[in-house]
Amino acid sequence: MVGHGQAEEQVRAPKGRGRPRSFDRATALEKALMAFWEHGYEATSVSDLTRIMGIGAPSLYAAFGDKRTLFEEVVQVYGATHGAFTDRALAEEPTARAAVGRMLREAAAEYTDPAHPYGCLVVHAATNCTSPEVEQLLREQRNANITALASRIRADVAAGLLPAGTDAAALARHTGAMIQGMSQQARDGASRAELEALAEIALSIWPQD
């Protein structure tokens, strides 16, 4: 799922004792993504990453920089792959309500998919984090999603698709709270069907035009 032109890229570690080691950068990055998603930023050590990624520390630093720089790249990849359903819904659906409905239903499916860790990396990766930069990175990501949704809601109000008195900011934040809550529910064992039921309840409060 990760690539963006990097699937064939080979990164070679600096020479040291023994032969230099080459590896597929995209594959290593996906493994790092899964580790951060499962355990969070703080609990995932550099030694964990080198073991999971199958590379030595010199190769990790040469290819990705330090742990925080690697994590920043992981967040970008996550947003373009596993977390891309939110942007796609906003871009492709004809109304904000339709976009939110699709977003919530796809969140129910994505967050409970056993092929990868449950929930959302952007919601959970900063749990117990002592790095203000990492906390800020994920907070800005979550807030950007809410801002984009609020903008879309305001556009629907201006177009007469939603009532003039609709509180776009509150409605967008309600959706953000639902998505973040669904992520935690998935981590706690909620099923896809249970989360889809929450999505329908969330849609029921939307104002009618």
Side-chain angles (χ1 to χ4, degrees), residues 3 5 28 70 72-73 76 105 110 117 121 133 142 164 170 172 183 202:
L70 169 60
E72 290 172 355
E73 186 171 352
Q76 291 177 350
R105 294 183 190 104
E110 177 69 22
L121 180 146
E133 294 85 1
R142 293 190 296 268
S183 178

Side-chain angles (χ1 to χ4, degrees), residues 63-122:
F64 302 104
D66 60 14
K67 175 183 169 181
R68 183 160 63 86
T69 304
L70 169 60
F71 180 72
E72 290 172 355
E73 186 171 352
V74 159
V75 171
Q76 291 177 350
V77 171
Y78 179 85
T81 55
H82 304 283
F85 65 91
T86 56
D87 288 340
R88 283 198 304 266
L90 284 175
E92 296 173 5
E93 294 301 321
T95 66
R97 188 184 190 282
V100 167
R102 173 176 166 181
M103 198 182 299
L104 294 175
R105 294 183 190 104
E106 291 189 5
E110 177 69 22
Y111 293 169
T112 58
D113 187 343
H116 53 63
Y118 293 137
C120 172
L121 180 146
V122 175

Side-chain angles (χ1 to χ4, degrees), residues 7-26:
E8 301 302 322
E9 179 181 353
Q10 298 292 318
V11 180
R12 191 169 295 276
K15 290 185 177 181
R17 289 189 298 175
R19 297 177 60 186
R21 185 174 188 178
S22 63
F23 63 93
D24 183 85
R25 190 180 192 280

